Amino acid sequence: MKSRLSRSIRWSACLFCLVFNAHADTPPSTSKNRSERTDPAAKAETKNNKPVFIDAERIQGHHEYEIEARGDTELRRGPVVSADQNNVPVKQSGNAPDSAPLQPQQNYTLSPAAKDGPASGLPVTAAESKDDASVLAGVEHLPGHLEREGEAQLRSGAQGGQTGPVPTPSAPAPALKDGSRLAMPGAGTEPGKNKPVTIGTEQIWGHLEQEGDTRLRLGGAVAPGDEPRLVALKDGSALTAPSTKPKKKEARPVFVSADRLEGHTGQEIDAIGKAELFNGDQFISADRMKYHQDTDIAEAQGGVRVEQRGDILEGSQLKFNLVDKTGQLSDPNYRLKDASSRGNANMLLFEGEDRYRLRQATYTTCPAGDDDWYLQVDDVEIDNAKKVGTARKVKLTFKDTPILYTPWMNFSFSGKRKTGLLAPLYGYNVRTGVELTVPFYWNIAPNVDATISTRAMSKRGVALNSEFRYLGTTLNGNLIAEVLPTDLDTKETRYRVSFGHNQTFGQHWFTRLDYNRVSDDTYFRDLGNTMNLTSRTNLLQQGLVAYNRNLGDNGTLNITSVVQQFQTIQDPRNPITPPYKRLPQVTLTANKADVLGLDFNLVSSYTNFSHPTLVSGQRVTFFPNVSYPMRSAFGYITPKVGLHHTTYNLESPGSSSGVPQDTDPSRTLPLFSVDSSVMFDRKTELRGERFTQTLEPRLFYVYVPFRDQNSLPNFDSAKTDFSFAQILTENRFSGSDRINDANQLTFALTSRLIEADTGKERLRLAIGHQLSFIDRRITLDAPSTINRRPDFIAAISGFITPTISTDTSVQFDHSRLMADVVRSGLSYRPEPGRVINFGYRFTRDVLHQVDASSQWRWSERWQTVARLNYSVLDQKILEGLAGLEYNACCWSLRFVVQHLTLATQKTTTAAFLQLELNGLMQIGSNPLQVLQRSIPGYTRTGSQGSGTVEGP
């Protein structure tokens, strides 16, 4: 009985234990371990979690709180690492392919509150790892669960394929009211706390954290994602975690480094000590920096330096949005990328991509420590994309003296054209007095612009000058109009008009219009300030239409019709005869090469000449010719024969005109010539340099019989200057009214030195001798016969030494052994900015002038310019110029005085003073065009620049 009772007690105890164990292994679905939920120590330690690195390796398997979880837990544990790390790349969320290589960087650890939880020794099996793995865009994730308030959260990981003890959960997955379970809830969460953290190419999805959760602190290469997480349910549907964040602009990866890094995952990074941030567009460095990952805002303090596109900004405090490119920099100093300009301000505002605003700013191109000039601006807006800016309350200071002020200005710093006021010009001329010119530039269209200037002259009054330009695919032109309503000296209205237009129609037609006119003969002498204007005598007025086309593969046809006349500007003490009007002139030119070895050419014309005081009439010319070129590699021979026919239809002569009685004279002349040349060359060496020297003899024979031409009018013929080009032509007269009689042989010999390496011609020597076998009787000077006079010409041009060049020609009268014409120029140019020129011009009984000019840089800053053109025959200065130029590092000052002879008894003196602020503008009258024209080889030593300024 006793044994039966004890046996029953033992079986009852065994059954009780089995029931107890079974109950303990199956926890209720609606409750959780209260000690784990309410442990105050766990809450306290949650706030003190240290920054940790998060390993990038994916964790395979399902979550213990998924639907139909098997009851085992899959929490992993890893070693703790340091939080002070450098070079932390912070990347926006993105999905990496499964094939990406594993790049484990650091393990992560549990927060202190979670380390004390129970652990289980159950391993994770391969079957369990395959059962439930959430997938988003081809990337395997570890989905999280819904945490309740106060719940301690554990995170662990395995490095490589490492396995370890698995802690056992103390509570099942949360249940809904109907008892069903979800892998991830879709409401009541904070979307900003569920972002993928990316390191290298792989990512681990976090969980939805609620208030009181234990959080991981940032300590490694992590970057939060912006998009909400998709969670796969058992039936294949997906839920999207709600997000209240506005969709923001895509940002580039951000890299942060410092001596010490602290922060929170997906929120901010504190970089302390030698902090640096780089995102591809900007590089920011400072003593301390904070980067907010959720807003992409960087805040920096102490020694802030921003570098972007080569520009450097330095300041004390910075707040900058890396995506929107907005923010501000306190007390900035800036230097542009080409180191050409710098400045500072009280505040720099970033107002978007390539848009800036500066308050209380300065600007200069002078180097640091040198503020010779600077621009002070109360407020300036800069659009770097359009390369334009707008400034308010602008003051320009030079050598501590304000020289310019405007309440508002709009400028362009791209070099492109922009509407606005240009820098004013001022100067002095003895004929106009003190001058002030204010130009306004109007950028009408990309291919149309205009410049309108007001020119105030103390002795003449106020003139309005304008220039209009246009350019198209088939046309271009410009119009210059100047008007002086009332000249204070002459009491008359004075004006100038200059118009030029070119246009093509289709492939073959071309037109041109030219119209130039001034109000009186002394306009340029009184109001002009350059030799190009004051020396003009005939102003062209014409309209032209031309037709061009090819005649096969080796021929051309050209037909030109022109209506032409001139306005002749007379000097009362030296009057000239105005040229004829052509109303109209039609010219036909055709040529066809290689027709059975022959080259055919035709030049013909019809012209109606008109003149108020001389004989008028029509002229027809017809000049066909044919040549037979025989060429080889070493030379050529070209015989040529032609027939020149001219006929006239003259108006009836007046009683005292002296015109011959014949009103329809004509002339027919044959012309024959033979041109031949051979070429020899050899290799030579001079002063260690290799050259190819050529020897090129040439023979040119011309025969034209004599025809009396005294009865013919002279509409357009003149004697050409004796030169190498002239002695190798058939007619020494221009035009068609006079054709010389000739039976002459010209011998020319040319030798050239050509650089063997570059093919550049270094030096040329030439001589020519013309031998006439008859007495020339055709002349424009007098009807009498002139004596036979052989002429000899010699010329040398090129570089005698690397620094000395010359261009000299001399013509001799062989019968009298006298020089008739001398043209000589010698130039010494040892380096840019140093040049000395000497010229000599002589024509017997006509011209005798000496010309000397120089630009010499005495030091890095000082240089002088000078020119003297003196007429020995007239014993007076034709042009004199002297000037001084000072070039500082960021500005230049030029002062030039010029004296000109305008007519036989009139002269003028002008003064030019210009201040050039490098990279900004030029103030004053510009003498550079005068210097470049007057001094061959003149080099600008200061940088040339001008800004466009627009005022109110």
Side-chain angles (χ1 to χ4, degrees):
M1 185 68 178
K2 185 177 181 180
S3 62
R4 289 180 180 179
L5 181 62
S6 61
R7 183 179 302 169
S8 300
I9 294 174
R10 286 197 299 267
W11 277 106
S12 299
C14 182
L15 291 175
F16 179 83
C17 291
L18 290 175
V19 174
F20 181 83
N21 289 337
H23 180 75
D25 288 340
T26 309
S29 59
T30 58
S31 64
K32 200 174 174 89
N33 193 316
R34 295 184 178 275
S35 63
E36 185 177 348
R37 294 174 54 190
T38 59
D39 187 357
K43 283 189 176 182
E45 291 186 11
T46 298
K47 300 179 181 179
N48 298 322
N49 288 345
K50 294 183 178 180
V52 294
F53 276 103
I54 301 177
D55 187 54
E57 185 178 2
R58 293 191 295 266
I59 301 178
Q60 304 287 340
H62 63 276
H63 201 279
E64 63 269 28
Y65 295 122
E66 284 184 88
I67 299 176
E68 297 183 0
R70 292 180 175 83
D72 56 339
T73 60
E74 299 172 1
L75 300 180
R76 289 162 174 78
R77 184 179 302 240
V80 180
V81 296
S82 172
D84 296 335
Q85 304 291 344
N86 293 330
N87 298 321
V88 180
V90 183
K91 301 183 180 180
Q92 299 300 322
S93 61
N95 297 328
D98 293 337
S99 60
L102 296 179
Q103 298 178 357
Q105 301 189 13
Q106 295 291 341
N107 294 331
Y108 62 89
T109 185
L110 305 177
S111 61
K115 287 181 181 181
D116 299 330
S120 172
L122 297 175
V124 180
T125 65
E128 292 172 341
S129 300
K130 295 178 182 178
D131 283 346
D132 198 7
S134 300
V135 178
L136 178 60
V139 179
E140 188 174 356
H141 312 308
L142 178 65
H145 66 282
L146 177 63
E147 311 274 14
R148 296 178 181 271
E149 183 177 354
E151 180 184 2
Q153 302 168 8
L154 305 182
R155 294 291 179 268
S156 59
Q159 188 172 3
Q162 180 181 353
T163 62
V166 182
T168 304
S170 57
L176 300 178
K177 290 183 179 181
D178 57 0
S180 63
R181 301 176 183 179
L182 290 177
M184 190 189 87
T189 61
E190 296 182 20
K193 297 181 180 180
N194 188 35
K195 297 182 179 180
V197 213
T198 302
I199 301 177
T201 59
E202 306 203 38
Q203 54 190 351
I204 300 176
W205 286 87
H207 63 284
L208 294 176
E209 296 181 332
Q210 298 199 10
E211 186 177 358
D213 286 351
T214 304
R215 302 176 180 175
L216 297 178
R217 298 298 188 263
L218 177 65
V222 294
D226 294 333
E227 57 277 296
R229 185 170 74 111
L230 297 178
V231 180
L233 299 180
K234 186 176 180 180
D235 59 358
S237 61
L239 293 177
T240 303
S243 176
T244 58
K245 288 186 179 181
K247 187 176 181 181
K248 60 182 179 180
K249 188 178 178 180
E250 186 79 15
R252 294 188 178 185
V254 177
F255 300 88
V256 178
S257 66
D259 290 340
R260 187 158 59 93
L261 295 174
E262 297 178 357
H264 297 77
T265 302
Q267 293 187 12
E268 76 277 341
I269 297 175
D270 284 322
I272 304 171
K274 298 181 181 179
E276 294 179 350
L277 182 148
F278 177 71
N279 73 332
D281 290 334
Q282 290 89 14
F283 175 81
I284 305 174
S285 62
D287 296 338
R288 182 164 185 163
M289 190 184 309
K290 177 179 288 188
Y291 172 56
H292 300 271
Q293 296 171 256
D294 53 349
T295 60
D296 290 302
I297 293 178
E299 299 178 359
Q301 293 182 345
V304 179
R305 180 185 176 97
V306 181
E307 299 180 21
Q308 55 182 6
R309 300 181 183 90
D311 299 336
I312 299 176
L313 307 172
E314 296 177 339
S316 58
Q317 271 189 326
L318 171 71
K319 184 176 182 180
F320 186 71
N321 190 307
L322 299 177
V323 176
D324 299 335
K325 309 299 182 186
T326 58
Q328 64 181 30
L329 177 64
S330 302
D331 303 320
N333 293 297
Y334 65 87
R335 296 192 302 274
L336 300 186
K337 58 183 176 182
D338 55 359
S340 62
S341 56
R342 62 178 179 87
N344 57 68
N346 288 346
M347 182 67 67
L348 170 63
L349 302 178
F350 301 91
E351 298 185 337
E353 187 75 28
D354 289 329
R355 295 180 63 89
Y356 311 96
R357 189 181 191 119
L358 294 129
R359 302 283 177 80
Q360 303 297 322
T362 64
Y363 171 86
T364 183
T365 59
C366 297
D370 185 357
D371 292 333
D372 285 349
W373 72 266
Y374 55 89
L375 204 62
Q376 291 177 293
V377 184
D378 186 69
D379 180 84
V380 59
E381 299 177 19
I382 297 176
D383 190 333
N384 204 33
K386 298 180 180 179
K387 302 297 182 183
V388 296
T390 302
R392 295 170 179 82
K393 296 182 180 179
V394 182
K395 181 173 68 173
L396 178 61
T397 301
F398 177 71
K399 291 295 185 179
D400 298 326
T401 303
I403 60 174
L404 183 65
Y405 174 81
T406 178
W408 178 84
M409 64 183 287
N410 185 272
F411 57 91
S412 171
F413 52 90
S414 64
K416 296 182 180 179
R417 299 178 291 114
K418 181 176 178 56
T419 299
L421 288 172
L422 303 177
L425 308 175
Y426 55 85
Y428 174 78
N429 189 303
V430 294
R431 307 189 70 83
T432 59
V434 179
E435 295 187 19
L436 175 63
T437 302
V438 181
F440 175 80
Y441 179 78
W442 183 14
N443 186 25
I444 303 173
N447 62 329
V448 183
D449 65 0
T451 303
I452 304 172
S453 305
T454 301
R455 180 185 180 189
M457 300 166 284
S458 61
K459 293 184 178 181
R460 299 288 180 175
V462 179
L464 183 64
N465 304 338
S466 62
E467 180 180 7
F468 175 77
R469 304 184 302 175
Y470 55 92
L471 176 65
T473 56
T474 61
L475 57 87
N476 66 83
N478 71 304
L479 170 66
I480 297 176
E482 302 175 358
V483 59
L484 178 60
T486 303
D487 191 329
L488 299 180
D489 187 21
T490 63
K491 310 300 180 182
E492 297 178 352
T493 299
R494 311 181 73 177
Y495 65 87
R496 173 198 174 194
V497 177
S498 177
F499 174 69
H501 174 84
N502 298 281
Q503 188 167 359
T504 59
F505 298 93
Q507 297 180 352
H508 306 293
W509 292 93
F510 170 78
T511 62
R512 176 168 179 82
L513 295 175
D514 290 282
Y515 184 81
N516 298 273
R517 186 169 184 84
V518 293
S519 58
D520 53 84
D521 291 339
T522 61
Y523 182 88
F524 288 128
R525 292 193 286 269
D526 291 344
L527 302 177
N529 52 15
T530 64
M531 179 69 79
N532 291 338
L533 291 178
T534 58
S535 61
R536 300 181 66 177
T537 56
N538 290 310
L539 305 182
L540 177 63
Q541 301 172 0
Q542 76 170 7
L544 179 147
V545 178
Y547 176 81
N548 299 274
R549 64 163 301 159
N550 294 328
L551 293 178
D553 296 333
N554 51 2
T556 59
L557 173 66
N558 175 266
I559 302 175
T560 302
S561 178
V562 60
V563 178
Q564 183 185 85
Q565 67 178 16
F566 295 88
Q567 180 188 7
T568 301
I569 300 175
Q570 297 285 1
D571 181 358
R573 293 180 173 83
N574 187 24
I576 60 175
T577 302
Y580 275 89
K581 299 178 182 179
R582 307 184 186 206
L583 306 171
Q585 179 180 12
V586 180
T587 303
L588 184 147
T589 302
N591 64 80
K592 185 69 173 178
D594 196 17
V595 179
L596 300 177
L598 299 175
D599 292 348
F600 292 90
N601 186 64
L602 172 65
V603 178
S604 61
S605 67
Y606 164 81
T607 309
N608 180 21
F609 291 98
S610 176
H611 199 280
T613 59
L614 301 177
V615 62
S616 301
Q618 295 85 41
R619 184 189 70 192
V620 176
T621 64
F622 186 76
F623 180 37
N625 60 83
V626 59
S627 61
Y628 184 69
M630 294 172 283
R631 302 183 182 92
S632 66
F634 56 85
Y636 65 89
I637 298 176
T638 305
K640 178 181 177 182
V641 61
L643 184 67
H644 197 291
H645 176 75
T646 309
T647 183
Y648 297 87
N649 183 15
L650 306 178
E651 296 180 356
S652 298
S655 58
S656 60
S657 63
V659 177
Q661 298 297 321
D662 190 3
T663 60
D664 55 351
S666 64
R667 177 196 60 203
T668 302
L669 277 173
L671 291 87
F672 174 75
S673 66
V674 178
D675 189 9
S676 62
S677 176
V678 294
M679 178 181 290
F680 306 93
D681 64 78
R682 66 166 185 165
K683 305 297 182 182
T684 186
E685 187 171 334
L686 295 175
R687 299 179 181 177
E689 293 186 79
R690 294 182 299 110
F691 295 94
T692 298
Q693 182 184 7
T694 67
L695 188 65
E696 307 166 39
R698 184 174 180 182
L699 287 175
F700 184 72
Y701 174 76
V702 178
Y703 175 77
V704 181
F706 170 77
R707 295 289 187 271
D708 186 10
Q709 302 174 37
N710 291 330
S711 61
L712 304 180
N714 182 15
F715 292 138
D716 61 358
S717 285
K719 186 178 180 180
T720 58
D721 293 334
F722 188 80
S723 63
F724 276 99
Q726 187 272 321
I727 64 177
L728 296 173
T729 59
E730 289 121 351
N731 189 13
R732 70 177 187 272
F733 300 110
S734 64
S736 300
D737 293 313
R738 293 294 182 270
I739 298 178
N740 60 206
D741 53 333
N743 185 7
Q744 63 193 28
L745 179 65
T746 301
F747 171 77
L749 181 65
T750 302
S751 180
R752 297 182 295 160
L753 281 178
I754 302 174
E755 297 178 0
D757 297 333
T758 63
K760 179 181 178 181
E761 183 178 297
R762 176 74 66 85
L763 186 66
R764 176 192 292 255
L765 300 172
I767 58 174
H769 182 68
Q770 191 174 75
L771 179 63
S772 180
F773 302 108
I774 63 173
D775 293 332
R776 299 172 182 166
R777 291 185 287 173
I778 304 299
T779 178
L780 287 175
D781 300 326
S784 61
T785 302
I786 61 175
N787 294 328
R788 179 172 53 87
R789 183 181 61 188
D791 292 320
F792 179 84
I793 186 172
I796 177 173
S797 62
F799 284 88
I800 302 175
T801 70
T803 59
I804 300 176
S805 62
T806 184
D807 188 0
T808 301
S809 65
V810 180
Q811 176 191 346
F812 288 94
D813 182 349
H814 188 267
S815 62
R816 295 180 293 173
L817 296 178
M818 297 178 63
D820 282 343
V821 178
V822 178
R823 299 286 187 269
S824 179
L826 192 68
S827 180
Y828 172 63
R829 304 181 187 181
E831 61 183 39
R834 292 185 176 180
V835 57
I836 298 176
N837 304 303
F838 178 78
Y840 180 76
R841 293 182 290 273
F842 171 78
T843 301
R844 186 168 298 280
D845 300 329
V846 177
L847 180 70
H848 193 187
Q849 296 178 4
V850 292
D851 193 347
S853 61
S854 172
Q855 175 195 14
W856 201 260
R857 190 177 70 248
W858 301 98
S859 65
E860 291 296 327
R861 302 198 171 199
W862 291 97
Q863 72 172 1
T864 57
V865 292
R867 185 192 180 188
L868 178 65
N869 185 6
Y870 183 77
S871 174
V872 179
L873 193 64
D874 300 324
Q875 295 186 351
K876 65 180 179 181
I877 297 175
L878 302 179
E879 181 181 6
L881 182 146
L884 184 67
E885 183 172 338
Y886 178 81
N887 293 296
C889 56
C890 56
W891 59 275
S892 300
L893 183 66
R894 303 179 183 94
F895 177 72
V896 177
V897 178
Q898 183 185 32
H899 178 81
L900 293 175
T901 297
L902 304 177
T904 53
Q905 300 295 328
K906 285 190 176 183
T907 62
T908 185
T909 302
F912 303 86
L913 179 64
Q914 183 187 59
L915 174 64
E916 177 182 347
L917 306 178
N918 296 353
L920 185 65
M921 65 173 61
Q922 298 168 331
I923 303 174
S925 53
N926 188 0
L928 292 176
Q929 294 182 351
V930 175
L931 295 175
Q932 290 171 343
R933 183 192 61 82
S934 301
I935 305 174
Y938 175 83
T939 304
R940 294 179 297 179
T941 55
S943 67
Q944 188 78 359
S946 180
T948 301
V949 180
E950 175 181 320

